[in-house]
Amino acid sequence: MQTLPRLFAAIAAGAMSFSAANAATGAPSDPVAAQASAIRDRFVTAIRNCGAAPSFVPPVVVDSHADIVSYSYTDRSVHLTRWADLPPPFKVFIAAWAAQGTMGLRPEDMFREIFNDFLVAHELGHYLAHLSGRAQTLDPTDAETEANRIALAFLALDPTERERLPTRYANFTNALFKLPDPVPSGLNAREYLARNYAMVARNGLAHGWYQGRFMKEAWEKRRERNFCGWVKANPPNASSKVKEKR
C-alpha cells in the first residue's frame, strides 16, 4: 500500500477530478444530504438556544467537487461529496488514511465519518463566523482553527458525542501528524500560510499537515470556551455578506 505522503502528492498533482455529470442535490432522500441536514439543523437550534437569531440557514448541497466538503461564502451553502463519486486515486488515499485511523473503519466508512459527518460541524463553524461578519477579518490559520474549536464545542453539547470526541479526534489526526512539515526552515507557519494559501490548498501534503496542526490546537483549547461562548463571539448580524475566500 502506498504511504499517505505519496498519495497526498498524487492528489496534489492532479488525481482529483470529478465528472461534470455528477448531479447536485440537497434532497432529503439523499442519505448524505439527510445526515448533513440533521447536523445543520442541530447546529442552528444550538445557536438559537444561545439566544441568537441566525439571519439565514445554509442549504446542504451534495455536488461532489474537488473540495470534498466546504462552506461557500458565495452561495451560503454547505457542499458535500458522495463516496461513489470519488475518483479511484482518492479512494486509495482514504484506504491508507483508514488503515492509520483509530476506529477500525473500512475506507468507505472512514470517508463518511470524516467528510460526511465530523467535518460538517467544521464547515458550520465557518458559517457561524460568516453570520457575524467576522469571517473576512480572520487569517487562514485563525479561520480554520476557530472553525475546529466551534465544531468541537458544538459536538460536546451532546453527552454521547462528547464521549466519542477523543476517539474521533485521534482517528482524524493520527495520519495527518505523520505528514512532513511543509514550512521552509526559518519561516513562521502562520505567515507562510497567509502568503501562500492558494498554493498550500492545492498541495495535498501541505494542506494535510496544516489541517492536523489546526485540529491539534483546537483540541488543546477545547475547554476554554463553550458553544454559547462562540456564538457570543460571533453575534449574527442582518447582512452576513463576505466575499468568497475558499
Side-chain angles (χ1 to χ4, degrees):
M1 179 177 291
Q2 296 187 59
T3 64
L4 273 173
R6 287 182 180 177
L7 288 164
F8 264 118
I11 292 167
M16 283 298 294
S17 60
F18 289 84
S19 169
N22 292 334
T25 178
S29 58
D30 184 320
V32 174
Q35 177 173 309
S37 295
I39 297 170
R40 184 270 322 272
D41 291 347
R42 295 200 309 271
F43 192 94
V44 171
T45 297
I47 293 175
R48 290 172 175 154
N49 288 343
C50 293
S55 56
F56 68 93
V57 174
V60 168
V61 181
V62 184
D63 52 0
S64 296
H65 57 102
D67 286 341
I68 309 298
V69 59
S70 64
Y71 173 75
S72 170
Y73 296 101
T74 300
D75 67 11
R76 309 196 306 183
S77 300
V78 176
H79 293 260
L80 297 105
T81 296
R82 302 179 193 85
W83 167 261
D85 295 335
L86 289 177
F90 198 80
K91 289 186 176 181
V92 175
F93 155 69
I94 294 295
W97 197 347
Q100 296 188 44
T102 61
M103 296 173 66
L105 299 175
R106 298 179 305 147
E108 182 173 352
D109 294 329
M110 183 72 163
F111 176 81
R112 289 172 175 163
E113 154 65 16
I114 292 175
F115 294 101
N116 293 163
D117 192 331
F118 191 54
L119 289 182
V120 173
H122 167 92
E123 301 306 333
L124 291 168
H126 288 302
Y127 156 67
L128 180 59
H130 185 188
L131 283 173
S132 69
R134 286 185 63 250
Q136 71 270 37
T137 71
L138 302 174
D139 72 5
T141 293
D142 285 340
E144 293 300 314
T145 303
E146 182 169 308
N148 285 333
R149 294 182 68 187
I150 293 169
L152 293 174
F154 163 68
L155 293 171
L157 292 173
D158 180 272
T160 301
E161 289 289 347
R162 183 166 60 247
E163 187 175 344
R164 294 178 61 217
L165 274 178
T167 299
R168 300 183 81 185
Y169 165 75
N171 185 63
F172 178 79
T173 59
N174 190 50
L176 300 182
F177 288 163
K178 298 175 183 177
L179 295 175
D181 184 346
V183 182
S185 177
L187 297 185
N188 177 275
R190 175 190 290 269
E191 293 176 0
Y192 181 77
L193 180 63
R195 294 174 181 174
N196 302 279
Y197 184 77
M199 180 184 70
V200 170
R202 292 192 302 268
N203 184 312
L205 279 170
H207 189 258
W209 181 87
Y210 269 104
Q211 291 305 319
R213 176 188 175 97
F214 297 149
M215 186 61 76
K216 181 176 185 291
E217 181 176 347
W219 181 257
E220 291 172 347
K221 295 181 177 180
R222 68 190 184 281
R223 295 187 176 90
E224 294 181 6
R225 181 177 287 173
N226 63 18
F227 185 76
C228 284
W230 283 111
V231 174
K232 184 177 180 180
N234 291 276
N237 62 39
S239 58
S240 301
K241 293 180 180 179
V242 296
K243 65 180 180 180
E244 180 70 57
K245 299 197 305 181
R246 304 181 57 186

mmCIF file with all atom_site columns, all heavy atoms in Angstrom, residues 201-222:
data_model
loop_
_atom_site.group_PDB
_atom_site.id
_atom_site.type_symbol
_atom_site.label_atom_id
_atom_site.label_alt_id
_atom_site.label_comp_id
_atom_site.label_asym_id
_atom_site.label_entity_id
_atom_site.label_seq_id
_atom_site.pdbx_PDB_ins_code
_atom_site.Cartn_x
_atom_site.Cartn_y
_atom_site.Cartn_z
_atom_site.occupancy
_atom_site.B_iso_or_equiv
_atom_site.pdbx_formal_charge
_atom_site.auth_seq_id
_atom_site.auth_comp_id
_atom_site.auth_asym_id
_atom_site.auth_atom_id
_atom_site.pdbx_PDB_model_num
ATOM 1   N N   . ALA A 1 201 ? -3.302  25.124 -0.444 1.00 0.00 ? 201 ALA A N   1
ATOM 2   C CA  . ALA A 1 201 ? -4.598  24.476 -0.637 1.00 0.00 ? 201 ALA A CA  1
ATOM 3   C C   . ALA A 1 201 ? -4.555  23.461 -1.774 1.00 0.00 ? 201 ALA A C   1
ATOM 4   O O   . ALA A 1 201 ? -5.308  22.477 -1.759 1.00 0.00 ? 201 ALA A O   1
ATOM 5   C CB  . ALA A 1 201 ? -5.670  25.528 -0.912 1.00 0.00 ? 201 ALA A CB  1
ATOM 6   N N   . ARG A 1 202 ? -3.664  23.682 -2.744 1.00 0.00 ? 202 ARG A N   1
ATOM 7   C CA  . ARG A 1 202 ? -3.555  22.759 -3.880 1.00 0.00 ? 202 ARG A CA  1
ATOM 8   C C   . ARG A 1 202 ? -2.582  21.621 -3.609 1.00 0.00 ? 202 ARG A C   1
ATOM 9   O O   . ARG A 1 202 ? -2.512  20.674 -4.378 1.00 0.00 ? 202 ARG A O   1
ATOM 10  C CB  . ARG A 1 202 ? -3.104  23.519 -5.139 1.00 0.00 ? 202 ARG A CB  1
ATOM 11  C CG  . ARG A 1 202 ? -4.113  24.505 -5.688 1.00 0.00 ? 202 ARG A CG  1
ATOM 12  C CD  . ARG A 1 202 ? -3.705  24.988 -7.070 1.00 0.00 ? 202 ARG A CD  1
ATOM 13  N NE  . ARG A 1 202 ? -2.394  25.617 -7.081 1.00 0.00 ? 202 ARG A NE  1
ATOM 14  C CZ  . ARG A 1 202 ? -2.178  26.914 -6.920 1.00 0.00 ? 202 ARG A CZ  1
ATOM 15  N NH1 . ARG A 1 202 ? -3.206  27.724 -6.714 1.00 0.00 ? 202 ARG A NH1 1
ATOM 16  N NH2 . ARG A 1 202 ? -0.948  27.402 -6.966 1.00 0.00 ? 202 ARG A NH2 1
ATOM 17  N N   . ASN A 1 203 ? -1.825  21.721 -2.543 1.00 0.00 ? 203 ASN A N   1
ATOM 18  C CA  . ASN A 1 203 ? -0.795  20.725 -2.234 1.00 0.00 ? 203 ASN A CA  1
ATOM 19  C C   . ASN A 1 203 ? -1.307  19.807 -1.131 1.00 0.00 ? 203 ASN A C   1
ATOM 20  O O   . ASN A 1 203 ? -1.438  20.224 0.019  1.00 0.00 ? 203 ASN A O   1
ATOM 21  C CB  . ASN A 1 203 ? 0.492   21.446 -1.797 1.00 0.00 ? 203 ASN A CB  1
ATOM 22  C CG  . ASN A 1 203 ? 1.646   20.492 -1.556 1.00 0.00 ? 203 ASN A CG  1
ATOM 23  O OD1 . ASN A 1 203 ? 1.501   19.487 -0.876 1.00 0.00 ? 203 ASN A OD1 1
ATOM 24  N ND2 . ASN A 1 203 ? 2.802   20.823 -2.106 1.00 0.00 ? 203 ASN A ND2 1
ATOM 25  N N   . GLY A 1 204 ? -1.600  18.561 -1.477 1.00 0.00 ? 204 GLY A N   1
ATOM 26  C CA  . GLY A 1 204 ? -2.187  17.645 -0.508 1.00 0.00 ? 204 GLY A CA  1
ATOM 27  C C   . GLY A 1 204 ? -1.341  17.442 0.735  1.00 0.00 ? 204 GLY A C   1
ATOM 28  O O   . GLY A 1 204 ? -1.853  17.389 1.848  1.00 0.00 ? 204 GLY A O   1
ATOM 29  N N   . LEU A 1 205 ? -0.019  17.324 0.556  1.00 0.00 ? 205 LEU A N   1
ATOM 30  C CA  . LEU A 1 205 ? 0.866   17.131 1.701  1.00 0.00 ? 205 LEU A CA  1
ATOM 31  C C   . LEU A 1 205 ? 0.815   18.317 2.648  1.00 0.00 ? 205 LEU A C   1
ATOM 32  O O   . LEU A 1 205 ? 0.636   18.173 3.856  1.00 0.00 ? 205 LEU A O   1
ATOM 33  C CB  . LEU A 1 205 ? 2.308   16.939 1.210  1.00 0.00 ? 205 LEU A CB  1
ATOM 34  C CG  . LEU A 1 205 ? 2.718   15.558 0.705  1.00 0.00 ? 205 LEU A CG  1
ATOM 35  C CD1 . LEU A 1 205 ? 4.084   15.641 0.041  1.00 0.00 ? 205 LEU A CD1 1
ATOM 36  C CD2 . LEU A 1 205 ? 2.737   14.556 1.844  1.00 0.00 ? 205 LEU A CD2 1
ATOM 37  N N   . ALA A 1 206 ? 0.968   19.515 2.084  1.00 0.00 ? 206 ALA A N   1
ATOM 38  C CA  . ALA A 1 206 ? 0.995   20.723 2.908  1.00 0.00 ? 206 ALA A CA  1
ATOM 39  C C   . ALA A 1 206 ? -0.359  20.979 3.555  1.00 0.00 ? 206 ALA A C   1
ATOM 40  O O   . ALA A 1 206 ? -0.444  21.301 4.746  1.00 0.00 ? 206 ALA A O   1
ATOM 41  C CB  . ALA A 1 206 ? 1.409   21.922 2.052  1.00 0.00 ? 206 ALA A CB  1
ATOM 42  N N   . HIS A 1 207 ? -1.412  20.807 2.779  1.00 0.00 ? 207 HIS A N   1
ATOM 43  C CA  . HIS A 1 207 ? -2.756  21.062 3.303  1.00 0.00 ? 207 HIS A CA  1
ATOM 44  C C   . HIS A 1 207 ? -3.085  20.098 4.430  1.00 0.00 ? 207 HIS A C   1
ATOM 45  O O   . HIS A 1 207 ? -3.638  20.494 5.467  1.00 0.00 ? 207 HIS A O   1
ATOM 46  C CB  . HIS A 1 207 ? -3.780  20.938 2.171  1.00 0.00 ? 207 HIS A CB  1
ATOM 47  C CG  . HIS A 1 207 ? -5.150  21.371 2.547  1.00 0.00 ? 207 HIS A CG  1
ATOM 48  N ND1 . HIS A 1 207 ? -6.152  20.475 2.840  1.00 0.00 ? 207 HIS A ND1 1
ATOM 49  C CD2 . HIS A 1 207 ? -5.687  22.604 2.700  1.00 0.00 ? 207 HIS A CD2 1
ATOM 50  C CE1 . HIS A 1 207 ? -7.258  21.135 3.140  1.00 0.00 ? 207 HIS A CE1 1
ATOM 51  N NE2 . HIS A 1 207 ? -7.009  22.430 3.062  1.00 0.00 ? 207 HIS A NE2 1
ATOM 52  N N   . GLY A 1 208 ? -2.731  18.835 4.263  1.00 0.00 ? 208 GLY A N   1
ATOM 53  C CA  . GLY A 1 208 ? -2.989  17.852 5.310  1.00 0.00 ? 208 GLY A CA  1
ATOM 54  C C   . GLY A 1 208 ? -2.221  18.150 6.578  1.00 0.00 ? 208 GLY A C   1
ATOM 55  O O   . GLY A 1 208 ? -2.745  18.011 7.689  1.00 0.00 ? 208 GLY A O   1
ATOM 56  N N   . TRP A 1 209 ? -0.955  18.575 6.431  1.00 0.00 ? 209 TRP A N   1
ATOM 57  C CA  . TRP A 1 209 ? -0.148  18.917 7.608  1.00 0.00 ? 209 TRP A CA  1
ATOM 58  C C   . TRP A 1 209 ? -0.776  20.073 8.366  1.00 0.00 ? 209 TRP A C   1
ATOM 59  O O   . TRP A 1 209 ? -0.888  20.030 9.602  1.00 0.00 ? 209 TRP A O   1
ATOM 60  C CB  . TRP A 1 209 ? 1.270   19.288 7.172  1.00 0.00 ? 209 TRP A CB  1
ATOM 61  C CG  . TRP A 1 209 ? 2.179   19.627 8.317  1.00 0.00 ? 209 TRP A CG  1
ATOM 62  C CD1 . TRP A 1 209 ? 2.927   18.758 9.059  1.00 0.00 ? 209 TRP A CD1 1
ATOM 63  C CD2 . TRP A 1 209 ? 2.441   20.938 8.852  1.00 0.00 ? 209 TRP A CD2 1
ATOM 64  N NE1 . TRP A 1 209 ? 3.644   19.445 10.023 1.00 0.00 ? 209 TRP A NE1 1
ATOM 65  C CE2 . TRP A 1 209 ? 3.358   20.783 9.921  1.00 0.00 ? 209 TRP A CE2 1
ATOM 66  C CE3 . TRP A 1 209 ? 1.990   22.216 8.535  1.00 0.00 ? 209 TRP A CE3 1
ATOM 67  C CZ2 . TRP A 1 209 ? 3.835   21.858 10.661 1.00 0.00 ? 209 TRP A CZ2 1
ATOM 68  C CZ3 . TRP A 1 209 ? 2.456   23.292 9.274  1.00 0.00 ? 209 TRP A CZ3 1
ATOM 69  C CH2 . TRP A 1 209 ? 3.358   23.113 10.335 1.00 0.00 ? 209 TRP A CH2 1
ATOM 70  N N   . TYR A 1 210 ? -1.205  21.092 7.645  1.00 0.00 ? 210 TYR A N   1
ATOM 71  C CA  . TYR A 1 210 ? -1.835  22.241 8.301  1.00 0.00 ? 210 TYR A CA  1
ATOM 72  C C   . TYR A 1 210 ? -3.148  21.847 8.975  1.00 0.00 ? 210 TYR A C   1
ATOM 73  O O   . TYR A 1 210 ? -3.445  22.297 10.083 1.00 0.00 ? 210 TYR A O   1
ATOM 74  C CB  . TYR A 1 210 ? -2.076  23.370 7.301  1.00 0.00 ? 210 TYR A CB  1
ATOM 75  C CG  . TYR A 1 210 ? -0.935  24.355 7.196  1.00 0.00 ? 210 TYR A CG  1
ATOM 76  C CD1 . TYR A 1 210 ? -0.073  24.336 6.108  1.00 0.00 ? 210 TYR A CD1 1
ATOM 77  C CD2 . TYR A 1 210 ? -0.723  25.310 8.187  1.00 0.00 ? 210 TYR A CD2 1
ATOM 78  C CE1 . TYR A 1 210 ? 0.977   25.243 6.008  1.00 0.00 ? 210 TYR A CE1 1
ATOM 79  C CE2 . TYR A 1 210 ? 0.324   26.225 8.093  1.00 0.00 ? 210 TYR A CE2 1
ATOM 80  C CZ  . TYR A 1 210 ? 1.173   26.192 7.001  1.00 0.00 ? 210 TYR A CZ  1
ATOM 81  O OH  . TYR A 1 210 ? 2.214   27.094 6.921  1.00 0.00 ? 210 TYR A OH  1
ATOM 82  N N   . GLN A 1 211 ? -3.942  20.998 8.324  1.00 0.00 ? 211 GLN A N   1
ATOM 83  C CA  . GLN A 1 211 ? -5.217  20.601 8.923  1.00 0.00 ? 211 GLN A CA  1
ATOM 84  C C   . GLN A 1 211 ? -4.990  19.839 10.230 1.00 0.00 ? 211 GLN A C   1
ATOM 85  O O   . GLN A 1 211 ? -5.744  20.020 11.200 1.00 0.00 ? 211 GLN A O   1
ATOM 86  C CB  . GLN A 1 211 ? -6.030  19.754 7.937  1.00 0.00 ? 211 GLN A CB  1
ATOM 87  C CG  . GLN A 1 211 ? -6.540  20.530 6.733  1.00 0.00 ? 211 GLN A CG  1
ATOM 88  C CD  . GLN A 1 211 ? -7.362  21.746 7.110  1.00 0.00 ? 211 GLN A CD  1
ATOM 89  O OE1 . GLN A 1 211 ? -8.187  21.700 8.038  1.00 0.00 ? 211 GLN A OE1 1
ATOM 90  N NE2 . GLN A 1 211 ? -7.149  22.846 6.415  1.00 0.00 ? 211 GLN A NE2 1
ATOM 91  N N   . GLY A 1 212 ? -3.973  19.005 10.272 1.00 0.00 ? 212 GLY A N   1
ATOM 92  C CA  . GLY A 1 212 ? -3.654  18.328 11.523 1.00 0.00 ? 212 GLY A CA  1
ATOM 93  C C   . GLY A 1 212 ? -3.230  19.318 12.597 1.00 0.00 ? 212 GLY A C   1
ATOM 94  O O   . GLY A 1 212 ? -3.630  19.201 13.767 1.00 0.00 ? 212 GLY A O   1
ATOM 95  N N   . ARG A 1 213 ? -2.449  20.304 12.229 1.00 0.00 ? 213 ARG A N   1
ATOM 96  C CA  . ARG A 1 213 ? -1.991  21.335 13.163 1.00 0.00 ? 213 ARG A CA  1
ATOM 97  C C   . ARG A 1 213 ? -3.175  22.142 13.704 1.00 0.00 ? 213 ARG A C   1
ATOM 98  O O   . ARG A 1 213 ? -3.255  22.417 14.903 1.00 0.00 ? 213 ARG A O   1
ATOM 99  C CB  . ARG A 1 213 ? -1.002  22.246 12.426 1.00 0.00 ? 213 ARG A CB  1
ATOM 100 C CG  . ARG A 1 213 ? -0.489  23.439 13.217 1.00 0.00 ? 213 ARG A CG  1
ATOM 101 C CD  . ARG A 1 213 ? 0.330   24.360 12.299 1.00 0.00 ? 213 ARG A CD  1
ATOM 102 N NE  . ARG A 1 213 ? 0.746   25.574 12.960 1.00 0.00 ? 213 ARG A NE  1
ATOM 103 C CZ  . ARG A 1 213 ? 1.930   25.760 13.516 1.00 0.00 ? 213 ARG A CZ  1
ATOM 104 N NH1 . ARG A 1 213 ? 2.812   24.783 13.510 1.00 0.00 ? 213 ARG A NH1 1
ATOM 105 N NH2 . ARG A 1 213 ? 2.232   26.911 14.085 1.00 0.00 ? 213 ARG A NH2 1
ATOM 106 N N   . PHE A 1 214 ? -4.095  22.521 12.810 1.00 0.00 ? 214 PHE A N   1
ATOM 107 C CA  . PHE A 1 214 ? -5.258  23.312 13.227 1.00 0.00 ? 214 PHE A CA  1
ATOM 108 C C   . PHE A 1 214 ? -6.137  22.529 14.200 1.00 0.00 ? 214 PHE A C   1
ATOM 109 O O   . PHE A 1 214 ? -6.627  23.067 15.192 1.00 0.00 ? 214 PHE A O   1
ATOM 110 C CB  . PHE A 1 214 ? -6.093  23.721 12.014 1.00 0.00 ? 214 PHE A CB  1
ATOM 111 C CG  . PHE A 1 214 ? -5.391  24.608 11.029 1.00 0.00 ? 214 PHE A CG  1
ATOM 112 C CD1 . PHE A 1 214 ? -5.704  24.540 9.680  1.00 0.00 ? 214 PHE A CD1 1
ATOM 113 C CD2 . PHE A 1 214 ? -4.405  25.493 11.443 1.00 0.00 ? 214 PHE A CD2 1
ATOM 114 C CE1 . PHE A 1 214 ? -5.063  25.353 8.762  1.00 0.00 ? 214 PHE A CE1 1
ATOM 115 C CE2 . PHE A 1 214 ? -3.756  26.314 10.524 1.00 0.00 ? 214 PHE A CE2 1
ATOM 116 C CZ  . PHE A 1 214 ? -4.086  26.241 9.180  1.00 0.00 ? 214 PHE A CZ  1
ATOM 117 N N   . MET A 1 215 ? -6.336  21.243 13.910 1.00 0.00 ? 215 MET A N   1
ATOM 118 C CA  . MET A 1 215 ? -7.188  20.435 14.778 1.00 0.00 ? 215 MET A CA  1
ATOM 119 C C   . MET A 1 215 ? -6.513  20.211 16.133 1.00 0.00 ? 215 MET A C   1
ATOM 120 O O   . MET A 1 215 ? -7.181  20.206 17.176 1.00 0.00 ? 215 MET A O   1
ATOM 121 C CB  . MET A 1 215 ? -7.519  19.099 14.114 1.00 0.00 ? 215 MET A CB  1
ATOM 122 C CG  . MET A 1 215 ? -8.523  18.262 14.892 1.00 0.00 ? 215 MET A CG  1
ATOM 123 S SD  . MET A 1 215 ? -10.158 19.052 15.101 1.00 0.00 ? 215 MET A SD  1
ATOM 124 C CE  . MET A 1 215 ? -10.847 18.803 13.450 1.00 0.00 ? 215 MET A CE  1
ATOM 125 N N   . LYS A 1 216 ? -5.212  20.035 16.141 1.00 0.00 ? 216 LYS A N   1
ATOM 126 C CA  . LYS A 1 216 ? -4.475  19.834 17.397 1.00 0.00 ? 216 LYS A CA  1
ATOM 127 C C   . LYS A 1 216 ? -4.616  21.057 18.303 1.00 0.00 ? 216 LYS A C   1
ATOM 128 O O   . LYS A 1 216 ? -4.881  20.931 19.509 1.00 0.00 ? 216 LYS A O   1
ATOM 129 C CB  . LYS A 1 216 ? -3.002  19.545 17.118 1.00 0.00 ? 216 LYS A CB  1
ATOM 130 C CG  . LYS A 1 216 ? -2.148  19.285 18.362 1.00 0.00 ? 216 LYS A CG  1
ATOM 131 C CD  . LYS A 1 216 ? -0.727  18.921 17.955 1.00 0.00 ? 216 LYS A CD  1
ATOM 132 C CE  . LYS A 1 216 ? 0.122   18.523 19.175 1.00 0.00 ? 216 LYS A CE  1
ATOM 133 N NZ  . LYS A 1 216 ? 0.391   19.673 20.047 1.00 0.00 ? 216 LYS A NZ  1
ATOM 134 N N   . GLU A 1 217 ? -4.452  22.243 17.730 1.00 0.00 ? 217 GLU A N   1
ATOM 135 C CA  . GLU A 1 217 ? -4.594  23.458 18.537 1.00 0.00 ? 217 GLU A CA  1
ATOM 136 C C   . GLU A 1 217 ? -6.015  23.591 19.070 1.00 0.00 ? 217 GLU A C   1
ATOM 137 O O   . GLU A 1 217 ? -6.220  23.954 20.230 1.00 0.00 ? 217 GLU A O   1
ATOM 138 C CB  . GLU A 1 217 ? -4.230  24.692 17.714 1.00 0.00 ? 217 GLU A CB  1
ATOM 139 C CG  . GLU A 1 217 ? -4.331  25.980 18.521 1.00 0.00 ? 217 GLU A CG  1
ATOM 140 C CD  . GLU A 1 217 ? -3.891  27.212 17.751 1.00 0.00 ? 217 GLU A CD  1
ATOM 141 O OE1 . GLU A 1 217 ? -3.276  27.070 16.673 1.00 0.00 ? 217 GLU A OE1 1
ATOM 142 O OE2 . GLU A 1 217 ? -4.163  28.330 18.241 1.00 0.00 ? 217 GLU A OE2 1
ATOM 143 N N   . ALA A 1 218 ? -7.002  23.292 18.224 1.00 0.00 ? 218 ALA A N   1
ATOM 144 C CA  . ALA A 1 218 ? -8.388  23.381 18.666 1.00 0.00 ? 218 ALA A CA  1
ATOM 145 C C   . ALA A 1 218 ? -8.664  22.393 19.794 1.00 0.00 ? 218 ALA A C   1
ATOM 146 O O   . ALA A 1 218 ? -9.363  22.714 20.769 1.00 0.00 ? 218 ALA A O   1
ATOM 147 C CB  . ALA A 1 218 ? -9.325  23.116 17.483 1.00 0.00 ? 218 ALA A CB  1
ATOM 148 N N   . TRP A 1 219 ? -8.119  21.194 19.666 1.00 0.00 ? 219 TRP A N   1
ATOM 149 C CA  . TRP A 1 219 ? -8.331  20.171 20.695 1.00 0.00 ? 219 TRP A CA  1
ATOM 150 C C   . TRP A 1 219 ? -7.730  20.601 22.026 1.00 0.00 ? 219 TRP A C   1
ATOM 151 O O   . TRP A 1 219 ? -8.350  20.444 23.082 1.00 0.00 ? 219 TRP A O   1
ATOM 152 C CB  . TRP A 1 219 ? -7.720  18.855 20.234 1.00 0.00 ? 219 TRP A CB  1
ATOM 153 C CG  . TRP A 1 219 ? -7.905  17.731 21.205 1.00 0.00 ? 219 TRP A CG  1
ATOM 154 C CD1 . TRP A 1 219 ? -6.983  17.218 22.054 1.00 0.00 ? 219 TRP A CD1 1
ATOM 155 C CD2 . TRP A 1 219 ? -9.115  17.006 21.435 1.00 0.00 ? 219 TRP A CD2 1
ATOM 156 N NE1 . TRP A 1 219 ? -7.530  16.197 22.792 1.00 0.00 ? 219 TRP A NE1 1
ATOM 157 C CE2 . TRP A 1 219 ? -8.840  16.037 22.429 1.00 0.00 ? 219 TRP A CE2 1
ATOM 158 C CE3 . TRP A 1 219 ? -10.383 17.054 20.874 1.00 0.00 ? 219 TRP A CE3 1
ATOM 159 C CZ2 . TRP A 1 219 ? -9.806  15.146 22.897 1.00 0.00 ? 219 TRP A CZ2 1
ATOM 160 C CZ3 . TRP A 1 219 ? -11.356 16.169 21.329 1.00 0.00 ? 219 TRP A CZ3 1
ATOM 161 C CH2 . TRP A 1 219 ? -11.060 15.231 22.342 1.00 0.00 ? 219 TRP A CH2 1
ATOM 162 N N   . GLU A 1 220 ? -6.542  21.150 21.977 1.00 0.00 ? 220 GLU A N   1
ATOM 163 C CA  . GLU A 1 220 ? -5.869  21.561 23.206 1.00 0.00 ? 220 GLU A CA  1
ATOM 164 C C   . GLU A 1 220 ? -6.586  22.719 23.898 1.00 0.00 ? 220 GLU A C   1
ATOM 165 O O   . GLU A 1 220 ? -6.469  22.890 25.112 1.00 0.00 ? 220 GLU A O   1
ATOM 166 C CB  . GLU A 1 220 ? -4.424  21.944 22.891 1.00 0.00 ? 220 GLU A CB  1
ATOM 167 C CG  . GLU A 1 220 ? -3.563  20.740 22.482 1.00 0.00 ? 220 GLU A CG  1
ATOM 168 C CD  . GLU A 1 220 ? -2.186  21.139 21.991 1.00 0.00 ? 220 GLU A CD  1
ATOM 169 O OE1 . GLU A 1 220 ? -1.976  22.357 21.729 1.00 0.00 ? 220 GLU A OE1 1
ATOM 170 O OE2 . GLU A 1 220 ? -1.323  20.248 21.853 1.00 0.00 ? 220 GLU A OE2 1
ATOM 171 N N   . LYS A 1 221 ? -7.344  23.506 23.129 1.00 0.00 ? 221 LYS A N   1
ATOM 172 C CA  . LYS A 1 221 ? -8.042  24.665 23.692 1.00 0.00 ? 221 LYS A CA  1
ATOM 173 C C   . LYS A 1 221 ? -9.552  24.436 23.844 1.00 0.00 ? 221 LYS A C   1
ATOM 174 O O   . LYS A 1 221 ? -10.296 25.373 24.121 1.00 0.00 ? 221 LYS A O   1
ATOM 175 C CB  . LYS A 1 221 ? -7.814  25.885 22.799 1.00 0.00 ? 221 LYS A CB  1
ATOM 176 C CG  . LYS A 1 221 ? -6.370  26.348 22.736 1.00 0.00 ? 221 LYS A CG  1
ATOM 177 C CD  . LYS A 1 221 ? -6.222  27.576 21.851 1.00 0.00 ? 221 LYS A CD  1
ATOM 178 C CE  . LYS A 1 221 ? -4.795  28.093 21.841 1.00 0.00 ? 221 LYS A CE  1
ATOM 179 N NZ  . LYS A 1 221 ? -4.646  29.298 20.980 1.00 0.00 ? 221 LYS A NZ  1
ATOM 180 N N   . ARG A 1 222 ? -9.987  23.200 23.680 1.00 0.00 ? 222 ARG A N   1
ATOM 181 C CA  . ARG A 1 222 ? -11.423 22.928 23.608 1.00 0.00 ? 222 ARG A CA  1
ATOM 182 C C   . ARG A 1 222 ? -12.197 23.298 24.867 1.00 0.00 ? 222 ARG A C   1
ATOM 183 O O   . ARG A 1 222 ? -13.407 23.549 24.799 1.00 0.00 ? 222 ARG A O   1
ATOM 184 C CB  . ARG A 1 222 ? -11.669 21.461 23.256 1.00 0.00 ? 222 ARG A CB  1
ATOM 185 C CG  . ARG A 1 222 ? -11.274 20.464 24.327 1.00 0.00 ? 222 ARG A CG  1
ATOM 186 C CD  . ARG A 1 222 ? -11.321 19.047 23.798 1.00 0.00 ? 222 ARG A CD  1
ATOM 187 N NE  . ARG A 1 222 ? -11.034 18.035 24.809 1.00 0.00 ? 222 ARG A NE  1
ATOM 188 C CZ  . ARG A 1 222 ? -9.804  17.731 25.218 1.00 0.00 ? 222 ARG A CZ  1
ATOM 189 N NH1 . ARG A 1 222 ? -8.760  18.369 24.729 1.00 0.00 ? 222 ARG A NH1 1
ATOM 190 N NH2 . ARG A 1 222 ? -9.635  16.793 26.139 1.00 0.00 ? 222 ARG A NH2 1
#
